[in-house]
Amino acid sequence: MPENNIRTEIKNIFLGVPGIGKVYDKQKNVFSEDKIKTEFVVGNVLNVFLIGDSSSKEEMAALGSGVIGRQSVTHSFKIDGYYGMNEVLLSRTTFSSLISAIATAFRNNLTLNNTCFIHKYIEVRLNNQEMFCNNLCHHTELVLQVEER
């Protein structure tokens, strides 16, 4: 399946995770406070995941003597997640639970609802705090490697 179909299914799986906020299948640039509230805030908490650009790698296995074997295309998606910090609401614990729920959702759906051959388990590459849209947030960078059908 093409990369855009896989990207859409990644978004759909994210949207099925309880507690997930807004999910976009591309990076967004928001510059006004009103836009931040409508595009990134759920309730009173900044809670957004952005499925960024992917890199792709095409491979071919040679069976020997010039015989072409299996060919594959693997996409690597970078997904940034931001969750507003609030010590009173135990936001660190909530965000960690959310990341675990995301990992479980993908672990339980290795073909992304039949849009790919298989994917590797989601990787939490980064988990830190940073400023995002003038808000101090918990931030995670997730990576998902998906092999096309």
Side-chain angles (χ1 to χ4, degrees):
M1 290 260 170
E3 182 261 347
N4 59 332
N5 292 0
I6 294 169
R7 179 183 296 274
T8 298
E9 200 53 42
I10 292 170
K11 178 182 177 181
N12 290 336
I13 292 169
F14 264 88
L15 289 171
V17 174
I20 205 78
K22 307 274 185 147
V23 180
Y24 295 99
D25 57 5
K26 60 184 183 278
Q27 293 291 340
K28 290 188 74 74
N29 295 314
V30 176
F31 300 108
S32 72
E33 285 295 320
D34 289 338
K35 279 284 224 188
I36 291 168
K37 288 178 184 170
T38 59
E39 306 263 339
F40 294 157
V41 175
V42 175
N44 290 329
V45 179
L46 191 143
N47 183 353
V48 65
F49 285 81
L50 306 165
I51 303 166
D53 294 332
S54 69
S55 60
S56 298
K57 177 180 172 185
E58 193 168 354
E59 294 181 300
M60 176 184 63
L63 299 177
S65 299
V67 178
I68 296 173
R70 186 172 168 280
Q71 295 177 321
S72 66
V73 177
T74 302
H75 302 284
S76 183
F77 294 90
K78 182 179 140 242
I79 303 152
D80 284 298
Y82 298 92
Y83 194 86
M85 291 187 66
N86 186 326
E87 287 185 34
V88 174
L89 298 178
L90 302 173
S91 58
R92 174 82 241 149
T93 303
T94 303
F95 192 56
S96 292
S97 296
L98 193 55
I99 293 169
S100 293
I102 291 165
T104 299
F106 281 92
R107 197 168 36 251
N108 291 335
N109 193 339
L110 292 176
T111 64
L112 305 179
N113 296 319
N114 294 315
T115 58
C116 73
F117 177 67
I118 197 162
H119 70 79
K120 292 185 178 181
Y121 288 164
I122 203 159
E123 174 189 348
V124 179
R125 187 165 286 167
L126 182 68
N127 205 356
N128 64 359
Q129 299 169 357
E130 69 178 51
M131 292 299 290
F132 179 72
C133 295
N134 293 324
N135 293 280
L136 185 58
C137 294
H138 302 286
H139 168 246
T140 191
E141 180 182 301
L142 307 174
V143 175
L144 184 66
Q145 292 184 345
V146 179
E147 187 176 328
E148 275 189 15
R149 284 192 164 278

